[in-house]
Amino acid sequence: MTRVSVKVDGTNYEDEVEPRLLLIHYLRDRLGLTGTPVGCDTSNCGACTVDLDGESVKSCSVLAVQADGGEVTTVQGLAGEDGEWTGLQRAFHERHALQCGYCTPGMIMAARDLLRDNPTPTSDEVRHALEGNLCRCTGYQNIVRAVLAASGQEVGT
Amino acid sequence: MSDTVEREVGRARPRKEDARLVTGQTNWTDNIAVNGLLHLAILRSPMAHARIDHVNVTPALERPGVVAAFSGADLAEGLGSLPCAWPVTEDIVLPDHPPIATTEVRYAGDPVAVVVARDRYAAADALEAIEVDYTPLPPVLDLEAALAEDTVLVHSDKGTNRCYDWPLKTGEDFESVRQRADVTLKRRYHQQRLIPNAMEPRGVVVTPLAASGEYTLHSSTQIPHILRIMLAVVTGIPEHKLRVIAPDVGGGFGSKLQVYGEEAIALAVARRTGRPVKWTESRSEGYLATHHGRGMIQDIEIAANRDGTLLGLKVDLLVDMGAYLMLVTPGIPILGAFMYPGIYKMGSYELNVTGVFTTRTPTDAYRGAGRPEATYAIERIMDELAAELGLDPVELRRRNWIGHEEFPYTTIAGLTYDSGNYEAATEKALALFDYDKLRAEQADRNHRGDSVRLGLGVSTYTEMCGLAPSRVLRDLRYAAGGWEAATIRMLPTGKVEVVTGTSPHGQGHVTCWSQIAADVLGVPFEDVEVVHGDTQAAPQGMDTYGSRSLVVGGTAVHHAAVKVVEKARKIAAHLLEASEQDLEFTDGVFSVKGSPDARKTIQEVAFETFTSHDLPDGLVPTINAEHLVDPDNFSYPHGTHLCAVEVDTETGQTRIRSYVCVDDVGRVVNPLIVEGQVHGGLAQGIAQALYEEAVYDDQGNLVSGTMADYLVPSAPDLPEFTTDRTETPATSNPLGVKGVGEAGTIASTPAVVNAIVDALRPLGVRDVRMPCTPERVWQAVREASR
């Protein structure tokens, strides 16, 4: 067992974990933060994407011990203290960028990373930035629209 | 006042569902945690076909954290065969299907033994300690060879790999049509196997209450109601002691329209251990264990006159059932059997479906289920016929489709299409696509001998959905009915609960049913909540599949709401001291004609009903109402899809340059949701055309066995779609709505492949097998040039 100290969505946690424990299972099974789901076992789908120290990572490809001393933000930590949604959350809702919603936490976290690096991406840039996040419901068109809208750009309907 | 209230039906309402989903406040099956929960892991056959000689689970019990382990034989007592609810013919071969194998494994992934442990890692680790001795048997993989005499049998006790033959023959004899036709064309098309890939892997949690023999089963299912009945039969747990809940479910596309072995196994293990049990598949495990879709060889022959008039169609299907018949496995091609004639008039139609057992994962419903296959075959061969006759593919269709003035129209296959306007949808699509301009560019590229060719693909489809009239289901030998139920509960504070028997997993029923109920009741959209997916809270239902939820379930909501208003009218009349005939009901308000100040809202009536202080004598004190709808007919959405593809003849690379579709799904409840359904459908249909295939090697191993090997398209793999609509109301329901969930998938696959073949036709290419990967396209060009 190894001791880890991680700040997740603003709360500090200290735990003993198996060295092999994946960050996603630490979040879900140990901390009960089930807002971030698991969609595959080959790091293809991106459903488990979270923010680790300012970078978006697939939390199925990170060990909990690698997050030691770090700060994790999940989809559950995005809304403001008053519960106010971020621009991306609002845009996903308004643009119908989700159906079953299973990929949505990962999509939002990956799009958030994109907009941090590139505040006004083109639609092609959005598509390429989200290449590692799979959605089976939407055909991506409304996801692209939502990300563009969240970036403050005009988007047709 | 009525002018100021905006109707809900037709409004592009962002969904109520989203609030939880965009903030992570979800309740997926794998999220469920209960005290004492054990994690279940399943050891699966590494071989496609083998005899099980010996299973020893004892070493697994030594592993840390392991609570119990069972072989198939250990669990056999008390576990019946998994059900097939659609034995399509009287003499169909119905093999036994144990949830966990006992004597023989018949596909790579067949369950052999299980472990339950304190956490998911410990359970997975312990699997490797289980000892299994197999005697390998030859796999059965080729559909035609499987039907030969003296071949290896998937189910040796059945004496054959032929599951069933299902013939259909209507109109003039095809042989005589063939003889007098100017032109006949025959083609063979391959519908590759697909893996549905709902983003949420399947999972199940069983919580037993040993003292009373009650069980609560959470499952990532599309069909909690059907599942409850079937699992009661399989496990012997009395139906009234089994509660099934579909919590948040992350997509299905047919793959969760199933009664799975793991659900029965989890119940059996919970019963045996008395402990709550959870199983969640890994994605790679799901590729083996969750049913696949498609998988058939289609031989299709079309007969026509020189002017393009269709005379008849003959279709022979060889369909890969996989190793076992699951819930509706044999019925999938039958859902397509009536659709091969598509939107066209003809006088002769013959079809035969042959189901074949193989040693692969079973097939069953995948988005469209039989209808994408049918639409693909007819729309592909229509393009071939157009080329043969030197006609534009749109013109050939125009000469044969059912005119808008001919509805209702009974097709050669015996279906009565209630409404449609193929002309209008096609004209709109052609204009949006700029068809003539693209044809000119194509001719120019061909003339120049450009290495990048342009192809235009057409698909004018219809489909039968909205499952289904119960009597038709009886005639098709389906074991259940096709009705749907809704209850409306008017709460004392004026809020409304709609209880539905549909079970959404991404479709937006909560939003749409709220819109339907709000309009009829005249209450605010926000005042309506929808209860679903729990056999205790929403006890009656036939669940969600086959684009049925709106046309059957939404219609039930509408009727139940109308009944509430009628009940409330009696009470309002009493309270207003008026006769019922003198009451008007507008925007949720009962008022007396001629005296506008005498009014009661339906929400006030709900409160008066709750107190029951002043109701008419003898009146039952409720305005709640329930309604069940058994549809009179299927639903027939239609549309025209046009695809322009650039094909690099030197590399085989294809690029969809534009995709235009005009769909007619009748009256639209929520345009935002309809557009979303179409987008997602297109993505899956395009994926079949270009990217996806479940590939097996010659030993029956699934080669495309992980998400890294099976190409689920990501955002850069798909184009921007131009979607539009015509609205020809359905006449089969009061809302005028048609199904939309599968239309995009059904229509798009042939549009894409037609475009690729159209691009390469000047080079002599007549077909490219799906998925049309660069390698296959390049090969097709190469072979044609020889």
Side-chain angles (χ1 to χ4, degrees):
Chain A
M1 290 291 192
T2 308
R3 191 156 191 85
V4 293
S5 166
V6 194
K7 187 172 190 177
V8 183
D9 294 337
T11 302
N12 291 307
Y13 298 92
E14 288 207 14
D15 278 295
E16 298 283 337
V17 301
E18 276 192 82
R20 64 171 176 169
L21 183 70
L22 297 175
L23 178 58
I24 183 59
H25 289 141
Y26 177 67
L27 295 173
R28 290 179 56 80
D29 296 346
R30 295 288 292 274
L31 304 186
L33 296 174
T34 52
T36 307
V38 180
C40 75
D41 50 3
T42 49
S43 72
N44 287 87
C45 82
C48 65
T49 304
V50 300
D51 184 292
L52 174 61
D53 296 330
E55 297 280 347
S56 80
V57 296
K58 294 180 176 179
S59 61
C60 71
S61 306
V62 177
L63 297 169
V65 294
Q66 290 176 286
D68 184 37
E71 187 168 346
V72 173
T73 304
T74 78
V75 72
Q76 289 173 272
L78 291 183
E81 280 185 12
D82 53 356
E84 194 191 341
W85 294 354
T86 63
L88 271 167
Q89 287 170 310
R90 276 198 310 276
F92 267 62
H93 170 60
E94 287 161 5
R95 298 279 167 173
H96 189 36
L98 62 149
Q99 290 179 30
C100 84
Y102 200 79
C103 75
T104 307
M107 281 291 175
I108 288 178
M109 296 310 292
R112 178 173 175 265
D113 199 36
L114 163 70
L115 295 183
R116 222 165 18 203
D117 296 341
N118 181 355
T120 52
T122 65
S123 101
D124 264 3
E125 285 171 339
V126 174
R127 283 182 184 267
H128 283 280
L130 298 179
E131 187 166 20
N133 291 74
L134 297 179
C135 169
R136 194 61 158 169
C137 296
T138 65
Y140 302 102
Q141 187 147 324
N142 287 350
I143 292 174
V144 175
R145 287 174 177 172
V147 176
L148 292 175
S151 75
Q153 302 183 74
E154 291 285 318
V155 190
T157 51
Chain B
M1 147 144 206
S2 61
D3 294 338
T4 62
V5 175
E6 196 175 341
R7 304 294 292 178
E8 283 295 335
V9 169
R11 270 181 92 168
R13 277 277 191 191
R15 303 189 314 168
K16 291 182 174 182
E17 288 87 340
D18 296 348
R20 293 180 311 100
L21 298 171
V22 300
T23 55
Q25 297 168 60
T26 41
N27 191 29
W28 314 113
T29 298
D30 189 60
N31 293 8
I32 294 166
V34 279
N35 286 331
L37 183 68
L38 301 180
H39 293 260
L40 189 147
I42 299 176
L43 185 71
R44 297 177 182 279
S45 167
M47 275 172 271
H49 198 190
R51 198 172 62 232
I52 300 173
D53 297 318
H54 181 68
V55 182
N56 180 16
V57 298
T58 309
L61 296 170
E62 308 296 317
R63 294 296 183 101
V66 171
V67 174
F70 305 97
S71 68
D74 295 337
L75 288 178
E77 196 189 324
L79 269 189
S81 182
L82 291 174
C84 172
W86 201 343
V88 294
T89 59
E90 212 165 309
D91 58 353
I92 187 172
V93 172
L94 281 171
D96 190 43
H97 185 185
I100 175 166
T102 52
T103 58
E104 193 168 319
V105 288
R106 296 187 173 87
Y107 64 96
D110 216 350
V112 176
V114 303
V115 167
V116 277
R118 287 175 59 190
D119 69 70
R120 59 178 102 221
Y121 286 36
D125 284 350
L127 291 182
E128 65 192 32
I130 296 173
E131 296 161 358
V132 186
D133 294 331
Y134 297 100
T135 301
L137 297 169
V140 179
L141 299 166
D142 184 289
L143 294 182
E144 289 172 312
L147 296 176
E149 297 285 319
D150 301 324
T151 192
V152 179
L153 296 175
V154 181
H155 299 277
S156 51
D157 58 321
K158 298 299 181 186
T160 178
N161 290 322
R162 184 182 293 266
C163 174
Y164 68 88
D165 277 297
W166 192 93
L168 177 68
K169 192 169 173 177
T170 73
E172 189 182 345
D173 187 52
F174 186 80
E175 188 50 42
S176 75
V177 163
R178 181 193 279 138
Q179 285 179 13
R180 69 183 169 82
D182 295 334
V183 185
T184 60
L185 280 183
K186 200 171 175 181
R187 291 288 185 269
R188 168 167 280 206
Y189 296 124
H190 294 264
Q191 295 285 333
Q192 78 270 35
R193 265 181 180 251
L194 299 176
I195 299 178
N197 274 299
M199 285 313 299
E200 181 206 16
R202 286 194 296 118
V204 54
V205 175
V206 174
T207 311
L209 251 179
S212 57
E214 291 173 77
Y215 296 83
T216 299
L217 179 138
H218 288 79
S219 180
S220 55
T221 182
Q222 298 174 222
I223 53 163
H225 300 91
I226 295 172
L227 189 59
R228 181 198 198 194
I229 301 163
M230 293 298 182
L231 286 176
V233 172
V234 172
T235 63
I237 294 167
E239 190 181 346
H240 64 301
K241 300 280 192 182
L242 178 60
R243 175 185 185 185
V244 175
I245 298 172
D248 287 341
V249 176
F253 314 112
S255 72
K256 295 171 182 174
L257 161 54
Q258 194 53 273
V259 178
Y260 277 108
E262 294 85 1
E263 290 160 330
I265 290 168
L267 273 172
V269 172
R271 177 163 61 186
R272 198 69 76 82
T273 60
R275 297 273 296 269
V277 169
K278 176 194 280 189
W279 171 79
T280 304
E281 70 181 7
S282 73
R283 177 63 59 181
S284 304
E285 183 181 21
Y287 274 19
L288 299 170
T290 295
H291 72 242
H292 295 175
R294 317 283 191 263
M296 71 167 71
I297 298 171
Q298 305 171 297
D299 287 308
I300 179 166
E301 186 172 3
I302 197 163
N305 284 336
R306 182 56 57 189
D307 69 358
T309 309
L310 297 186
L311 299 176
L313 198 63
K314 185 172 187 297
V315 179
D316 279 290
L317 305 178
L318 273 185
V319 187
D320 185 353
M321 303 282 100
Y324 300 99
L325 300 183
M326 298 198 68
L327 190 63
V328 292
T329 301
I332 300 308
I334 310 308
L335 284 172
F338 300 94
M339 296 315 303
Y340 283 83
I343 64 169
Y344 310 116
K345 296 178 279 191
M346 62 187 77
S348 169
Y349 178 45
E350 282 184 36
L351 166 136
N352 187 66
V353 185
T354 302
V356 185
F357 291 111
T358 63
T359 52
R360 294 192 193 91
T361 294
T363 59
D364 207 314
Y366 171 56
R367 202 168 190 171
R371 291 149 290 156
E373 296 93 314
T375 303
Y376 182 82
I378 182 66
E379 291 303 298
R380 279 288 295 116
I381 206 164
M382 285 297 279
D383 263 34
E384 295 303 303
L385 181 64
E388 179 75 19
L389 296 171
L391 288 171
D392 182 275
V394 177
E395 178 57 25
L396 177 66
R397 285 165 171 83
R398 209 175 262 139
R399 291 184 189 183
N400 286 286
W401 68 38
I402 300 155
H404 68 274
E405 70 288 351
E406 296 179 80
F407 290 93
Y409 183 89
T410 300
T411 71
I412 187 71
L415 297 173
T416 300
Y417 297 172
D418 62 326
S419 74
N421 191 332
Y422 307 142
E423 300 93 322
T426 303
E427 288 314 313
K428 198 168 189 177
L430 290 172
L432 285 167
F433 191 62
D434 214 344
Y435 186 80
D436 295 337
K437 192 173 166 196
L438 287 168
R439 278 285 180 220
E441 180 187 332
Q442 177 186 42
D444 179 56
R445 284 185 192 237
N446 289 345
H447 179 70
R448 285 190 283 115
D450 195 337
S451 65
V452 178
R453 297 298 175 102
L454 180 66
L456 309 186
V458 185
S459 170
T460 50
Y461 78 99
T462 188
E463 60 125 341
M464 54 185 273
C465 62
L467 308 181
S470 296
R471 288 177 182 186
V472 176
L473 292 176
R474 173 200 62 194
D475 294 344
L476 294 173
R477 301 179 55 84
Y478 180 65
W483 46 263
E484 195 45 85
T487 300
I488 302 219
R489 297 200 284 243
M490 298 297 293
L491 305 180
T493 56
K495 308 296 184 193
V496 180
E497 278 177 345
V498 174
V499 183
T500 178
T502 65
S503 195
H505 38 283
Q507 293 87 347
H509 296 178
V510 172
T511 299
C512 290
W513 290 196
S514 295
Q515 290 179 276
I516 292 169
D519 264 2
V520 177
L521 299 171
V523 300
F525 171 77
E526 294 77 12
D527 283 359
V528 185
E529 194 47 81
V530 177
V531 178
H532 62 79
D534 178 345
T535 58
Q536 208 162 74
Q540 212 170 6
M542 293 299 283
D543 307 316
T544 287
Y545 45 87
S547 306
R548 71 186 305 271
S549 295
L550 175 60
V551 291
V552 192
T555 299
V557 171
H558 171 85
H559 283 298
V562 169
K563 282 184 175 175
V564 168
V565 173
E566 290 318 305
K567 285 181 164 184
R569 183 186 299 275
K570 289 191 191 329
I571 295 167
H574 174 78
L575 296 170
L576 294 167
E577 297 176 345
S579 76
E580 286 180 50
Q581 293 73 27
D582 290 340
L583 285 193
E584 288 178 331
F585 182 67
T586 311
D587 297 332
V589 179
F590 291 100
S591 57
V592 182
K593 288 176 198 164
S595 40
D597 292 341
R599 53 203 302 271
K600 283 276 177 195
T601 69
I602 195 166
Q603 295 177 300
E604 289 167 339
V605 173
F607 183 75
E608 301 278 3
T609 309
F610 166 69
T611 66
S612 294
H613 291 169
D614 183 18
L615 298 186
D617 290 341
L619 194 85
V620 177
T622 179
I623 57 171
N624 296 348
E626 159 183 75
H627 195 86
L628 275 81
V629 167
D630 199 330
D632 297 330
N633 195 354
F634 293 94
S635 174
Y636 303 100
H638 72 82
T640 296
H641 288 224
L642 299 169
C643 179
V645 175
E646 286 178 5
V647 183
D648 187 324
T649 57
E650 290 171 355
T651 64
Q653 186 68 45
T654 59
R655 184 177 82 90
I656 295 181
R657 200 169 87 181
S658 64
Y659 195 104
V660 167
C661 62
V662 175
D663 294 292
D664 194 321
V665 297
R667 195 161 160 230
V668 168
V669 174
N670 186 322
L672 211 54
I673 286 175
V674 163
E675 190 192 28
Q677 287 288 320
V678 172
H679 286 171
L682 294 178
Q684 287 179 27
I686 291 169
Q688 176 173 12
L690 296 180
Y691 302 124
E692 297 185 14
E693 181 170 22
V695 179
Y696 282 81
D697 70 12
D698 61 3
Q699 293 305 302
N701 300 301
L702 180 64
V703 178
S704 54
T706 77
M707 225 175 212
D709 305 292
Y710 184 99
L711 204 170
V712 174
S714 66
D717 300 321
L718 292 168
E720 285 276 319
F721 313 117
T722 302
T723 61
D724 208 332
R725 293 193 306 274
T726 54
E727 289 196 19
T728 312
T731 61
S732 52
N733 64 70
L735 294 168
V737 295
K738 303 176 187 177
V740 67
E742 296 160 296
T745 302
I746 290 166
S748 56
T749 310
V752 176
V753 179
N754 278 343
I756 292 169
V757 175
D758 185 59
L760 301 176
R761 197 179 294 285
L763 305 176
V765 173
R766 294 289 172 268
D767 194 27
V768 181
R769 191 162 159 175
M770 296 188 292
C772 302
T773 58
E775 186 188 352
R776 285 201 177 143
V777 171
W778 184 80
Q779 282 288 1
V781 172
R782 217 170 110 93
E783 278 161 25
S785 69
R786 280 188 180 154

